[in-house]
Coordinates of all heavy atoms in Angstrom, one line a residue:
K203 N 4.2 38.6 -1.8 CA 3.9 38.9 -3.2 C 5.1 39.0 -4.1 O 5.0 38.9 -5.2 CB 3.1 40.2 -3.2 CG 1.7 40.2 -2.5 CD 1.0 41.6 -2.5 CE -0.3 41.5 -1.9 NZ -1.0 42.9 -2.0
D204 N 6.2 39.2 -3.4 CA 7.5 39.4 -4.3 C 8.1 38.0 -4.6 O 9.1 37.9 -5.2 CB 8.5 40.2 -3.6 CG 8.9 39.7 -2.2 OD1 8.5 38.5 -1.9 OD2 9.7 40.2 -1.5
G205 N 7.4 36.9 -4.2 CA 7.8 35.5 -4.4 C 8.6 34.9 -3.4 O 8.9 33.7 -3.4
A206 N 9.0 35.8 -2.4 CA 9.8 35.3 -1.3 C 9.0 34.5 -0.3 O 7.7 34.7 -0.3 CB 10.6 36.3 -0.6
M207 N 9.6 33.7 0.6 CA 8.8 33.0 1.5 C 9.4 33.3 2.9 O 10.6 33.3 3.2 CB 9.1 31.5 1.3 CG 8.3 30.6 2.3 SD 8.4 28.8 1.9 CE 10.1 28.6 2.1
S208 N 8.5 33.7 3.8 CA 8.8 34.0 5.2 C 9.1 32.7 6.0 O 8.3 31.8 6.0 CB 7.8 34.8 6.0 OG 7.5 36.0 5.3
A209 N 10.2 32.7 6.7 CA 10.6 31.5 7.5 C 9.8 31.6 8.8 O 9.7 32.6 9.4 CB 12.1 31.6 7.8
H210 N 9.2 30.4 9.2 CA 8.6 30.3 10.4 C 9.2 29.0 11.1 O 8.7 27.9 11.1 CB 7.1 30.0 10.2 CG 6.3 31.1 9.7 ND1 6.7 32.4 9.9 CD2 5.2 31.2 8.9 CE1 5.8 33.3 9.3 NE2 4.9 32.6 8.7
P211 N 10.4 29.2 11.7 CA 11.1 28.1 12.3 C 10.4 27.5 13.5 O 9.5 28.2 14.1 CB 12.4 28.7 12.7 CG 12.1 30.1 12.9 CD 11.1 30.5 11.9
P212 N 10.6 26.2 13.9 CA 10.0 25.7 15.0 C 10.2 26.5 16.3 O 11.3 27.0 16.4 CB 10.6 24.3 15.1 CG 11.0 24.0 13.8 CD 11.5 25.3 13.2
S213 N 9.3 26.6 17.2 CA 9.4 27.3 18.4 C 10.3 26.5 19.5 O 10.9 27.2 20.3 CB 8.1 27.7 19.0 OG 7.3 26.5 19.3
S214 N 10.2 25.3 19.4 CA 11.0 24.4 20.4 C 11.4 23.1 19.9 O 10.6 22.2 19.8 CB 10.1 24.3 21.7 OG 10.7 23.4 22.6
I215 N 12.6 22.9 19.5 CA 13.1 21.6 19.1 C 13.0 20.6 20.2 O 12.5 19.4 19.8 CB 14.5 21.7 18.5 CG1 14.7 22.6 17.3 CG2 15.1 20.3 18.2 CD1 13.8 22.2 16.1
P216 N 13.2 20.9 21.4 CA 13.1 19.9 22.5 C 11.6 19.4 22.6 O 11.4 18.1 22.7 CB 13.4 20.7 23.7 CG 14.5 21.6 23.3 CD 14.0 22.1 22.0
F217 N 10.6 20.2 22.5 CA 9.3 19.8 22.5 C 8.9 19.0 21.3 O 8.1 18.0 21.4 CB 8.3 21.0 22.7 CG 8.1 21.4 24.1 CD1 8.1 22.8 24.4 CD2 8.0 20.5 25.2 CE1 7.9 23.2 25.8 CE2 7.8 20.9 26.5 CZ 7.8 22.2 26.8
L218 N 9.3 19.4 20.1 CA 9.2 18.7 18.9 C 9.8 17.3 19.1 O 9.1 16.3 18.7 CB 9.8 19.4 17.7 CG 9.6 18.9 16.3 CD1 9.9 20.0 15.3 CD2 10.5 17.7 16.0
A219 N 10.9 17.1 19.6 CA 11.6 15.9 19.8 C 10.9 15.0 20.8 O 10.7 13.8 20.6 CB 13.1 16.0 20.2
L220 N 10.4 15.6 21.9 CA 9.6 14.9 22.9 C 8.3 14.3 22.3 O 8.0 13.2 22.5 CB 9.2 15.9 24.0 CG 8.3 15.3 25.0 CD1 9.0 14.1 25.8 CD2 7.8 16.4 26.1
G221 N 7.6 15.2 21.4 CA 6.5 14.6 20.7 C 6.7 13.4 19.9 O 6.0 12.5 19.9

Side-chain angles (χ1 to χ4, degrees):
K203 292 181 179 180
D204 62 2
M207 182 174 67
S208 298
H210 293 330
S213 59
S214 173
I215 296 298
F217 275 138
L218 186 159
L220 175 63

